[in-house]
Amino acid sequence: MIKVCKFGGTSMADGMTMRRVKDIFESDPERRYIVVSAPGKRFSGDIKVTDLLYETHKEVEETGSCGEAFEKICARFSGIVQELKIDLDIGSILQETKKAIEEEKSADFAASRGEYLSGRIMAALLNIPFIDARDVIKFDASGKLESARSFELLARALSGKPKALVTGFYGEGADGKVKTFSRGGSDISGAIVARAAGAALYENWTDVSGFLACDPRIVENPVPIRSLSYKELRELSYMGANVLHSESIFPVREADIPIRIKNTFRPEDEGTLIMPTSKYRFSGRTVTGVAGKKNFTVIFVEKSLMNLEIGFARKILTVLENHGVSFEHIPTGIDTMSFIIDGAHLPSGVLEQIIAEIKEAVHPDQMRVFDRISLIAVVGHGMSRNVGTSARVFSAIAGAGVNVRMIDQGSSELNIIVGVDDENYERTLRAVYEEFFTGAEEIN
Ligand code: ASP
């Protein structure tokens, strides 16, 4: 059985944690391939190497070189190599890297060097072959991952190698230049390697012991979730439960490869097992987890008889598309439609233009915009089996004295999404959590 393990930034933060990674990787012969992140924070207030690298790129843009910002990168990596006492000429590698960052003049290239450098060090420490993701993970001209091609290139690179390291976070675009995933994207790289290697398990090693039923910054000691389905994971991580990148399931899903979240600093903890949805067995629980995000904007459009106006929604969506703005949900009534947009996707000034263009396109009777709306997702396959779940959600929210601004229930009955004002976000999360989880010790 092949296991692929991915280690995140805190696991790679310094020489001591890298030694831990080595111990974990070597303690199980089934752990064959390893994917690593760039060194993350060593203590609160520390700066992640990836963030330092974005700084170096800024310096290159402003001054043509990156002397000052790159000093910090050199100090970090030279310190690690010294601590590990490995035979690697890190000085020359760092000089080459600096030159390449100055020549490439690309933010993606600069950011990718964190994974490149930590990969070089870790491969030397483990004494296993180093595979540069640039050679095996490919994106098409629109920036989408070329999955089939990447799986094939990777499978070829791994074949005949009992063990190997692959760098996380980046690959190569159609223009031959390095391209990164979005932040936290080494989780996706790990999933791609697991798929290409035909792994039986994708282990994702991080600094927490798996998923919790709610955000621990808001609810005190939320119960751990021992297992969940791919679909539940997608809903929860998309809505802010940020243990794992929300896109990591796509490469493993088609091959039914389960993911186990493990804690590098408490390897004895069971963690969370994420199972293919087809293998989901009803365990009796109603709700698996509650997650949420703040700062959404709702564009509310009302027009009598809109249901008879063919192309009404399309015209509005075309306006959004022309501005490159994606939407999250569209709850509808007979004569009303609301478009819910993540505030982060609305640069200032764009909203006013969008509103003017929607007015022009569909001549609504009324249009209103609400901003600073939070969305809270109550997630669980069990909801479809239990009558009255939504009644419980809404009476808990009403009991907390919170006014519900919007409701959306997916037709899969996997989630109920509730919109409330940002100022009520924490209170709503706590109320819903208490309704479903008081007295529970863990979610199986
Ligand atoms: N190093 C990258 C980041 O900080 C990618 C990752 O760690 O997954 O976002």
Side-chain angles (χ1 to χ4, degrees), residues 168-182:
F169 191 37
Y170 67 93
E172 189 182 73
D175 57 0
K177 293 193 174 297
V178 162
K179 180 174 162 44
T180 62
F181 290 105
S182 55

Side-chain angles (χ1 to χ4, degrees), residues 197-401:
L201 182 66
Y202 170 29
E203 284 184 340
N204 190 290
W205 290 83
T206 176
D207 54 4
V208 290
S209 297
F211 276 86
L212 299 169
C214 198
D215 185 340
R217 288 166 301 185
I218 296 169
V219 165
E220 214 180 306
N221 279 328
V223 297
I225 306 176
R226 292 285 165 244
S227 73
L228 73 167
S229 74
Y230 286 160
K231 278 196 177 154
E232 290 173 325
L233 164 79
R234 171 93 177 123
E235 297 284 342
L236 288 171
S237 56
Y238 187 75
M239 282 302 280
N242 57 5
V243 178
L244 193 68
H245 194 295
S246 68
E247 289 165 32
S248 337
I249 44 164
F250 296 113
V252 290
R253 192 175 57 180
E254 283 157 37
D256 273 6
I257 302 167
I259 309 171
R260 185 175 280 287
I261 311 286
K262 292 281 286 178
N263 187 345
T264 302
F265 305 93
R266 293 176 59 100
E268 63 287 356
D269 284 359
E270 193 184 322
T272 299
L273 183 65
I274 301 151
M275 296 292 290
T277 308
S278 59
K279 301 214 167 74
Y280 172 82
R281 293 281 166 272
F282 184 56
S283 65
R285 69 186 177 198
T286 307
V287 170
T288 302
V290 190
K293 267 205 244 178
K294 282 186 167 178
N295 192 27
F296 287 89
T297 296
V298 180
I299 303 176
F300 171 84
V301 186
E302 181 166 14
K303 188 173 185 187
S304 298
L305 300 177
M306 74 158 62
N307 55 321
L308 297 179
E309 204 173 313
I310 300 202
F312 187 87
R314 179 188 45 79
K315 287 179 196 155
I316 298 179
L317 292 176
T318 304
V319 172
L320 295 181
E321 187 179 351
N322 290 344
H323 285 277
V325 169
S326 61
F327 67 91
E328 307 296 316
H329 302 277
I330 317 184
T332 55
I334 303 172
D335 291 329
T336 64
M337 214 171 248
S338 297
F339 296 83
I340 299 174
I341 299 165
D342 189 336
H345 298 159
L346 275 176
S348 71
V350 170
L351 182 62
E352 291 70 19
Q353 283 176 34
I354 288 178
I355 291 167
E357 288 173 31
I358 293 179
K359 278 190 183 149
E360 170 93 24
V362 296
H363 304 288
D365 298 337
Q366 211 204 126
M367 239 178 112
R368 270 181 289 162
V369 174
F370 310 102
D371 59 2
R372 305 192 65 247
I373 297 286
S374 294
L375 295 186
I376 288 161
V378 188
V379 176
H381 291 290
M383 296 198 304
S384 61
R385 313 226 179 190
N386 283 294
V387 179
T389 309
S390 36
R392 284 177 70 188
V393 171
F394 294 114
S395 65
I397 298 175

Side-chain angles (χ1 to χ4, degrees), residues 6-10 36-40 48-51 53-54 111-112 114-115 168-170 180-189 245:
K6 178 259 167 181
F7 287 87
T10 32
V36 293
S37 280
K48 288 179 170 190
V49 161
T50 309
D51 291 315
L53 284 161
Y54 282 117
S112 73
E115 273 67 13
F169 191 37
Y170 67 93
T180 62
F181 290 105
S182 55
R183 295 300 303 265
S186 299
D187 287 340
I188 310 172
S189 315
H245 194 295

Side-chain angles (χ1 to χ4, degrees), residues 97-116:
T97 304
K98 176 173 183 282
K99 209 167 134 238
I101 291 177
E102 290 170 346
E103 281 169 10
E104 292 275 337
K105 296 188 174 45
S106 131
D108 278 17
F109 180 80
S112 73
R113 296 304 88 186
E115 273 67 13
Y116 174 80

Side-chain angles (χ1 to χ4, degrees), residues 12-31:
M12 301 294 294
D14 59 25
M16 208 168 72
T17 56
M18 285 196 189
R19 272 211 201 91
R20 242 177 210 285
V21 169
K22 175 177 158 72
D23 289 345
I24 292 171
F25 185 67
E26 291 177 348
S27 67
D28 179 349
E30 291 180 339
R31 295 192 177 120

